[in-house]
Structures are given as C-alpha cells and as structure tokens.
Amino acid sequence: MNKAKFITFEGVDGAGKSTHLAWFADALRKRGKEVLVTREPGGTPLGECLRDILLNQPMHAETEALLMFAARLEHIEQVIKPALQRGVWVVSDRFSDASFAYQGGGRGVKVEKLEQLECWVHENFQPDLTLLFDVPVEVARQRLSKNTTLDRFEQEKDSFFEKVRQAYLDRCKKNPDRFALINAAKTPEEVKEDLEKEILSL
Ligand code: TYD
C-alpha cells in the first residue's frame, strides 16, 4: 500500500454504492491513508454545473456522452491527478465505465465513439481498482422507489437499466484485472466484508 491509488465505484442507480463508498473511504483512512472522495459527473466547479445540466436537461445521447467526458477531463486534470501526485488516494463515485454503461449500453451510443473519447481524455490512465456493485434491476428499482425525487436517469424504464447492467458486466469481463464484482444484493454487513477483502488486496 505505498503508491496512492485511484479507486472507482460503479453500478446501476439503486445498487447501494454511495452508502458503501463512505464506509470504504473511512476504512482506508483508518489504515493511515489520506483519502479524497469525489464523484462524476462533477468533482470540479465546472463539472458540478455540467452535472446539473446532465441530470436535468433533455439532450441527444451523443451530447450526453460528450458532456460526460468534458466534465471528466476537467476532473482528471484539476483534481484526480494532482491528488495522486500528492500521495492522496482518490475514491470516485463513477468514472468512464459509467459512460460505457449508460451512454453506450443504455442509450446506444457506439462503443467505438466512446473509446475514442476515452482515448482522448485519459489515454494510459485508468483506475487501479473498479468496484462494480451488481444487483438485479428489480432490487435496484425497489431501493430507488424510496427516493422522492428522481433525476433524468433514474426515471428511465427497467429495460434501460437492464442494458446498463449488462454493459457494466461486459466491461467487467473485458477488464478482469481492474474490476472487482461485488454482489450488492447481499446484506450491507456481507458487502462490507467483501469490501474489506478488496482493501487487503490493495
Ligand atoms: P449518481 O452519482 O449515481 O447519482 P446519485 O446522486 O443519484 O447517486 O450518478 C448520476 C447519474 O449520472 C447516474 O444516473 C448515472 C449517470 N452517469 C452517466 O450516465 N454517465 C456517466 O459517465 C456518469 C459518470 C454518470
């Protein structure tokens, strides 16, 4: 556990990743790491403005992809890389895998186009570890139904989330060294035990 690491949390809305992210960051801090928690879209003043637009304004699927990656470039250059260089661990609630899952799988933007954007925005830079919180879509939807306000993505149909979930699982299969698949249908305590194992593996 010497070099500062970049860790991302992914999964369909309602998988429970945000709850576990706070616990995970604290567990790293207890091990003496300085940790920066951030999120996408967002993480910078410009990124947060773009988040507001992305979560609320209807737009073309490719515009959505371009704005996600524009916010990401700012996030990487202004926040993520400088923190890692200072020796600070970075834990981000979503990163590029979300674009492949939501804009690619969910909205049908061509993977080749997303790969071009990925190459433009962060060639040779990837998370050290990506935790994919996977749950059946009906479980995720049930958890989300407790929220009173739903954003533009959360209002999508189950079939959209099925495609998002599948695209995440495909991405996980293609990058087995970087991904850890977390069964988020388990109890919070069991999920924590799995996360503890991932921390040890770092
Ligand atoms: P999320 O952090 O899950 O929102 P919440 O505050 O409700 O927990 O993410 C916001 C939404 O943005 C989520 O529905 C997924 C979407 N998103 C994309 O579609 N593409 C992306 O590249 C990213 C980073 C997020």
Side-chain angles (χ1 to χ4, degrees):
M1 273 216 193
N2 294 324
K3 195 177 132 275
K5 302 238 155 98
F6 175 36
I7 301 153
T8 56
F9 277 51
E10 298 283 0
V12 295
D13 294 87
K17 66 181 170 46
S18 305
T19 317
H20 291 297
L21 193 147
W23 178 86
F24 184 88
D26 276 345
L28 287 177
R29 289 187 186 108
K30 282 193 189 124
R31 286 171 167 80
K33 306 295 164 199
E34 198 181 331
V35 184
L36 175 80
V37 172
T38 186
R39 69 172 179 181
E40 288 205 354
T44 64
L46 174 65
E48 290 296 326
C49 291
L50 291 172
R51 179 188 179 90
D52 188 39
I53 295 170
L54 280 159
L55 266 49
N56 298 299
Q57 290 287 327
M59 65 185 78
H60 191 283
E62 293 192 354
T63 309
E64 198 175 273
L66 288 165
L67 290 182
M68 290 290 179
F69 274 98
R72 183 160 301 131
L73 194 149
E74 202 66 15
H75 193 207
I76 294 168
E77 298 305 326
Q78 305 286 354
V79 175
I80 301 174
K81 282 185 178 170
L84 294 172
Q85 274 155 14
R86 293 197 309 273
V88 175
W89 288 49
V90 178
V91 182
S92 184
D93 192 342
R94 303 190 186 280
F95 192 63
S96 286
D97 298 305
S99 298
F100 284 86
Y102 282 79
Q103 282 66 55
R107 304 257 193 250
V109 174
K110 283 208 169 68
V111 172
E112 298 75 42
K113 289 189 175 175
L114 297 171
E115 283 170 351
Q116 280 172 2
L117 289 174
E118 183 185 37
C119 186
W120 180 4
V121 170
H122 59 98
E123 196 178 10
N124 305 323
F125 180 75
Q126 287 291 353
D128 295 290
L129 172 67
T130 297
L131 299 166
L132 174 57
F133 287 72
D134 183 57
V135 276
V137 168
E138 52 288 8
V139 177
R141 301 301 277 167
Q142 224 168 6
R143 289 177 183 169
L144 267 188
S145 67
K146 293 181 191 124
N147 296 5
T148 44
T149 53
L150 297 179
D151 65 42
R152 212 162 60 79
F153 293 98
E154 292 165 339
Q155 288 168 18
E156 286 289 344
K157 296 192 290 286
D158 285 7
S159 57
F160 175 86
F161 287 102
E162 291 290 357
K163 288 187 272 182
V164 171
R165 183 189 185 198
Q166 199 48 56
Y168 265 134
L169 291 171
D170 291 346
R171 205 79 186 137
C172 177
K173 242 184 243 154
K174 277 191 198 138
N175 301 277
D177 295 343
R178 173 164 69 85
F179 269 88
L181 186 62
I182 305 290
N183 178 354
K186 290 185 183 175
T187 65
E189 282 314 311
E190 288 169 329
V191 172
K192 272 183 202 158
E193 280 169 26
D194 291 343
L195 293 180
E196 193 78 50
K197 285 182 206 143
E198 292 305 326
I199 290 176
L200 292 176
S201 80
L202 289 164

Tab-separated table of all heavy atoms in Angstrom, residues 44 54 66 72 77 87 104 107 110 112 133-134 136 142 153 159 174 194 196-197:
chain	number	residue	atom	x	y	z
A	44	THR	N	-15.577	19.056	-9.847
A	44	THR	CA	-14.953	20.377	-10.009
A	44	THR	C	-16.110	21.382	-10.106
A	44	THR	O	-17.244	20.965	-10.377
A	44	THR	CB	-14.143	20.485	-11.327
A	44	THR	OG1	-15.050	20.360	-12.428
A	44	THR	CG2	-13.051	19.423	-11.428
A	54	LEU	N	-26.690	17.787	-17.037
A	54	LEU	CA	-26.814	16.386	-17.467
A	54	LEU	C	-27.964	15.650	-16.779
A	54	LEU	O	-28.625	14.804	-17.382
A	54	LEU	CB	-25.499	15.645	-17.204
A	54	LEU	CG	-24.416	15.884	-18.256
A	54	LEU	CD1	-23.026	15.582	-17.711
A	54	LEU	CD2	-24.692	15.006	-19.488
A	66	LEU	N	-20.558	13.417	-24.790
A	66	LEU	CA	-19.512	14.446	-24.908
A	66	LEU	C	-19.400	15.255	-23.615
A	66	LEU	O	-18.300	15.540	-23.146
A	66	LEU	CB	-19.814	15.376	-26.089
A	66	LEU	CG	-19.603	14.755	-27.473
A	66	LEU	CD1	-20.276	15.600	-28.553
A	66	LEU	CD2	-18.115	14.606	-27.765
A	72	ARG	N	-15.252	15.053	-17.265
A	72	ARG	CA	-14.220	14.104	-16.794
A	72	ARG	C	-12.814	14.651	-17.015
A	72	ARG	O	-11.947	14.501	-16.158
A	72	ARG	CB	-14.426	12.775	-17.541
A	72	ARG	CG	-13.483	11.667	-17.121
A	72	ARG	CD	-14.065	10.325	-17.532
A	72	ARG	NE	-15.354	10.122	-16.916
A	72	ARG	CZ	-16.458	9.736	-17.572
A	72	ARG	NH1	-16.405	9.464	-18.856
A	72	ARG	NH2	-17.591	9.596	-16.926
A	77	GLU	N	-7.736	16.360	-14.698
A	77	GLU	CA	-6.605	17.298	-14.697
A	77	GLU	C	-6.558	18.185	-13.455
A	77	GLU	O	-5.487	18.493	-12.962
A	77	GLU	CB	-6.629	18.162	-15.970
A	77	GLU	CG	-6.488	17.368	-17.263
A	77	GLU	CD	-5.232	16.485	-17.310
A	77	GLU	OE1	-4.185	16.871	-16.746
A	77	GLU	OE2	-5.325	15.390	-17.906
A	87	GLY	N	0.161	12.111	-3.202
A	87	GLY	CA	0.101	10.914	-2.366
A	87	GLY	C	-1.266	10.684	-1.739
A	87	GLY	O	-1.407	9.890	-0.809
A	104	GLY	N	-23.390	4.137	-23.576
A	104	GLY	CA	-23.197	3.028	-24.515
A	104	GLY	C	-24.335	2.023	-24.431
A	104	GLY	O	-25.143	1.888	-25.347
A	107	ARG	N	-28.117	4.062	-23.745
A	107	ARG	CA	-28.601	4.956	-24.811
A	107	ARG	C	-28.227	4.497	-26.218
A	107	ARG	O	-28.693	5.080	-27.203
A	107	ARG	CB	-28.038	6.364	-24.624
A	107	ARG	CG	-28.322	6.995	-23.284
A	107	ARG	CD	-29.442	8.018	-23.397
A	107	ARG	NE	-29.519	8.840	-22.193
A	107	ARG	CZ	-30.511	8.757	-21.322
A	107	ARG	NH1	-31.484	7.891	-21.489
A	107	ARG	NH2	-30.516	9.552	-20.260
A	110	LYS	N	-22.395	4.392	-29.917
A	110	LYS	CA	-21.451	3.367	-30.381
A	110	LYS	C	-20.220	3.291	-29.476
A	110	LYS	O	-19.619	4.317	-29.140
A	110	LYS	CB	-20.994	3.702	-31.806
A	110	LYS	CG	-22.001	3.373	-32.859
A	110	LYS	CD	-21.269	3.060	-34.195
A	110	LYS	CE	-22.212	2.465	-35.198
A	110	LYS	NZ	-23.228	3.446	-35.649
A	112	GLU	N	-17.283	2.384	-30.205
A	112	GLU	CA	-16.075	2.938	-30.838
A	112	GLU	C	-15.965	4.442	-30.563
A	112	GLU	O	-14.873	4.963	-30.349
A	112	GLU	CB	-16.083	2.730	-32.362
A	112	GLU	CG	-16.089	1.268	-32.812
A	112	GLU	CD	-17.443	0.604	-32.630
A	112	GLU	OE1	-18.469	1.242	-32.935
A	112	GLU	OE2	-17.485	-0.562	-32.165
A	133	PHE	N	-20.804	-2.672	-8.243
A	133	PHE	CA	-21.900	-3.130	-7.380
A	133	PHE	C	-23.012	-3.647	-8.270
A	133	PHE	O	-23.683	-2.868	-8.948
A	133	PHE	CB	-22.388	-1.971	-6.494
A	133	PHE	CG	-21.409	-1.651	-5.417
A	133	PHE	CD1	-20.207	-1.024	-5.712
A	133	PHE	CD2	-21.652	-2.016	-4.107
A	133	PHE	CE1	-19.267	-0.767	-4.726
A	133	PHE	CE2	-20.722	-1.766	-3.109
A	133	PHE	CZ	-19.534	-1.138	-3.419
A	134	ASP	N	-23.178	-4.945	-8.249
A	134	ASP	CA	-24.155	-5.555	-9.154
A	134	ASP	C	-25.367	-6.085	-8.385
A	134	ASP	O	-25.203	-6.805	-7.395
A	134	ASP	CB	-23.462	-6.704	-9.921
A	134	ASP	CG	-24.407	-7.328	-10.922
A	134	ASP	OD1	-24.914	-6.583	-11.791
A	134	ASP	OD2	-24.669	-8.543	-10.822
A	136	PRO	N	-29.728	-7.373	-9.270
A	136	PRO	CA	-30.804	-7.478	-10.261
A	136	PRO	C	-31.538	-6.138	-10.325
A	136	PRO	O	-31.697	-5.464	-9.295
A	136	PRO	CB	-31.712	-8.569	-9.693
A	136	PRO	CG	-30.855	-9.342	-8.748
A	136	PRO	CD	-29.850	-8.378	-8.205
A	142	GLN	N	-36.470	-1.162	-6.599
A	142	GLN	CA	-37.198	-1.147	-5.323
A	142	GLN	C	-36.528	-0.184	-4.338
A	142	GLN	O	-37.185	0.596	-3.667
A	142	GLN	CB	-37.166	-2.547	-4.732
A	142	GLN	CG	-38.486	-2.990	-4.181
A	142	GLN	CD	-38.440	-4.487	-3.899
A	142	GLN	OE1	-37.385	-5.140	-4.015
A	142	GLN	NE2	-39.564	-5.030	-3.532
A	153	PHE	N	-31.974	10.169	-15.299
A	153	PHE	CA	-31.546	8.778	-15.500
A	153	PHE	C	-32.411	7.832	-14.673
A	153	PHE	O	-32.864	6.799	-15.145
A	153	PHE	CB	-30.070	8.612	-15.131
A	153	PHE	CG	-29.149	9.358	-16.058
A	153	PHE	CD1	-28.651	10.599	-15.724
A	153	PHE	CD2	-28.811	8.821	-17.296
A	153	PHE	CE1	-27.818	11.298	-16.592
A	153	PHE	CE2	-27.990	9.504	-18.170
A	153	PHE	CZ	-27.483	10.752	-17.827
A	159	SER	N	-36.054	-1.588	-18.747
A	159	SER	CA	-35.290	-2.127	-19.885
A	159	SER	C	-33.993	-1.336	-20.086
A	159	SER	O	-32.957	-1.889	-20.464
A	159	SER	CB	-36.134	-2.096	-21.160
A	159	SER	OG	-36.555	-0.774	-21.417
A	174	LYS	N	-14.256	-7.812	-19.678
A	174	LYS	CA	-13.145	-7.416	-20.551
A	174	LYS	C	-11.937	-6.907	-19.777
A	174	LYS	O	-10.849	-6.826	-20.326
A	174	LYS	CB	-13.615	-6.311	-21.510
A	174	LYS	CG	-14.333	-6.852	-22.716
A	174	LYS	CD	-14.542	-5.770	-23.762
A	174	LYS	CE	-15.625	-6.195	-24.738
A	174	LYS	NZ	-16.542	-5.121	-25.082
A	194	ASP	N	-16.892	-8.130	1.990
A	194	ASP	CA	-16.284	-8.253	0.656
A	194	ASP	C	-15.386	-7.060	0.352
A	194	ASP	O	-14.319	-7.204	-0.244
A	194	ASP	CB	-17.378	-8.385	-0.422
A	194	ASP	CG	-18.106	-9.719	-0.311
A	194	ASP	OD1	-17.570	-10.626	0.356
A	194	ASP	OD2	-19.210	-9.847	-0.879
A	196	GLU	N	-13.818	-5.270	2.541
A	196	GLU	CA	-12.637	-5.426	3.401
A	196	GLU	C	-11.590	-6.278	2.679
A	196	GLU	O	-10.403	-5.951	2.676
A	196	GLU	CB	-13.088	-6.106	4.702
A	196	GLU	CG	-12.085	-6.076	5.827
A	196	GLU	CD	-12.036	-4.733	6.546
A	196	GLU	OE1	-13.106	-4.214	6.947
A	196	GLU	OE2	-10.939	-4.208	6.688
A	197	LYS	N	-12.049	-7.339	2.028
A	197	LYS	CA	-11.122	-8.214	1.269
A	197	LYS	C	-10.461	-7.426	0.142
A	197	LYS	O	-9.281	-7.605	-0.144
A	197	LYS	CB	-11.883	-9.410	0.678
A	197	LYS	CG	-12.222	-10.453	1.719
A	197	LYS	CD	-12.941	-11.632	1.076
A	197	LYS	CE	-13.817	-12.335	2.116
A	197	LYS	NZ	-15.082	-12.839	1.590
